[in-house]
Amino acid sequence: KRDSMQRILDSAKLASVDPHGCPERRPVRAAGTATATGGAFAPANPSSIAICYYGELDDRLKSSATLRGDSAVALARLLNAAPSGANPDADPSQCLHPPAPPPPDAILLVHAGAAPTTIHVTFSGCVGRKLDNGVQLARVDSAIVRAIMQPLGGGYAHHGDL
């Protein structure tokens, strides 16, 4: 019996992606890849949006969920309504976090065709807060953070009103 149990335990492996398609480890995007402005930030009518939440301090996936139907379209509308460009940095005297830009808190996988559009969302620090789809940058706001975090059922924090 113990021998069978050990074989089962030895065969267990961490999945590289979860059931929502989220990578187990936070993917890295090269800095400075988003340069264009204008146009839709996210596909307007996605079939689904996978939310992959990593948080600020660790690169392991903390939580994930998938929005479908009207919920996915509502989040896409919020993303597309976001003003272009990154958020202004907060006053350093008002911040508890280090001044270095944190990695993205969450990654959205927006499915509306063959390959998903990947959007990196950074909101927890005082600098480097933004939406980044690899082509454009846009501002993240409280409504977007809420739409991303509520389906995950956990807590979250951000500095001011972003």
Side-chain angles (χ1 to χ4, degrees), residues 81-92:
S84 65
N87 294 52
D89 291 340
D91 179 350

Side-chain angles (χ1 to χ4, degrees), residues 37-137:
T37 58
F41 192 82
N45 293 302
S47 57
S48 67
I49 299 177
I51 301 168
C52 312
Y53 177 67
Y54 298 91
E56 185 179 3
L57 302 176
D58 186 7
D59 285 337
R60 289 191 185 274
L61 182 67
K62 304 280 188 285
S63 185
S64 62
T66 299
L67 302 178
R68 299 184 193 290
D70 291 343
S71 297
V73 171
L75 178 53
R77 283 186 186 136
L78 285 173
L79 297 169
N80 286 326
S84 65
N87 294 52
D89 291 340
D91 179 350
S93 68
Q94 303 296 312
C95 293
L96 296 174
H97 298 285
D105 296 284
I107 294 173
L108 307 178
L109 304 173
V110 184
H111 297 272
T117 298
T118 302
I119 299 174
H120 291 232
V121 184
T122 307
F123 60 83
S124 65
C126 291
V127 299
R129 299 168 299 166
K130 63 186 175 286
L131 302 169
D132 179 352
N133 68 6
V135 178
Q136 305 174 64
L137 298 179

